[in-house]
Amino acid sequence: RHNCVKACCIGCTPCQKICERNLNCGFHKCQMLCHSGSCFPCAVTVDIKCACGTNIINVPCAVHKTTPIPDCNVLCRHPSTCHHPSQKNHKCHYGECPPCPQICNVKHETCEHKCPKPCHDPVEPVKIHKKTKLPMGFPPPIAVSDVVC
């Protein structure tokens, strides 16, 4: 706040400087002429939008940092980031899309099995359990080895 050197008296002209005290929001300053007492609350408002811009709420600047982003029922428009042609429908959002919940189903190059895992990139080979065959007369194997299919 500026130092007002005017002495108040009846009939004298008031100070003509701008108040410039910080307002309740902490971001803006009072633009009224010098006055006694508290400043009015900040009148500046801020638009908060969902990611696609369809839903907009207008809030006082004092609370815009703590106001949650408005809900939106518009479907996400981000292109698929996995090998599936389309993602499972989900709502508009900021940041990355949620992981694809679809089954991978990509055929492995070496064995033609379809990958049973949830969607992932890149496609990994499946491990299958295979018993090792030994010539007649040997005891059956104790260990089962993991062989990449």
Side-chain angles (χ1 to χ4, degrees):
R1 181 177 184 170
H2 69 271
N3 290 331
C4 185
V5 292
K6 281 247 184 201
C8 291
C9 63
I10 296 173
C12 69
T13 59
C15 175
Q16 295 299 308
K17 290 186 178 182
I18 302 295
C19 172
E20 292 191 329
R21 279 190 274 183
N22 286 330
L23 296 177
N24 64 331
C25 67
F27 300 107
H28 300 104
K29 295 186 181 285
C30 180
Q31 296 301 304
M32 294 176 62
L33 291 178
C34 182
H35 60 88
S36 61
S38 299
C39 300
F40 285 104
C42 183
V44 176
T45 59
V46 177
D47 285 344
I48 298 179
K49 301 176 184 180
C50 65
C52 71
T54 303
N55 269 354
I56 302 169
I57 56 174
N58 190 273
V59 298
C61 75
V63 297
H64 85 277
K65 295 229 182 228
T66 57
T67 302
I69 296 166
D71 287 334
C72 182
N73 290 324
V74 173
L75 294 179
C76 175
R77 297 178 189 146
H78 294 243
S80 177
T81 57
C82 65
H83 65 275
H84 290 106
S86 63
Q87 294 182 5
K88 183 176 179 184
N89 288 341
H90 58 280
K91 294 179 183 180
C92 146
H93 59 87
Y94 281 100
E96 293 184 13
C97 291
C100 177
Q102 301 176 68
I103 298 299
C104 177
N105 271 340
V106 170
K107 286 184 180 179
H108 296 287
E109 295 173 12
T110 55
C111 65
E112 297 296 314
H113 283 107
K114 287 185 177 181
C115 178
K117 294 181 179 180
C119 185
H120 58 89
D121 283 321
V123 176
E124 299 169 2
V126 175
K127 287 187 176 184
I128 58 170
H129 295 294
K130 210 174 199 182
K131 290 184 179 179
T132 309
K133 289 186 180 182
L134 296 173
M136 291 290 275
F138 284 90
I142 297 171
V144 173
S145 61
D146 285 334
V147 178
V148 175
C149 176

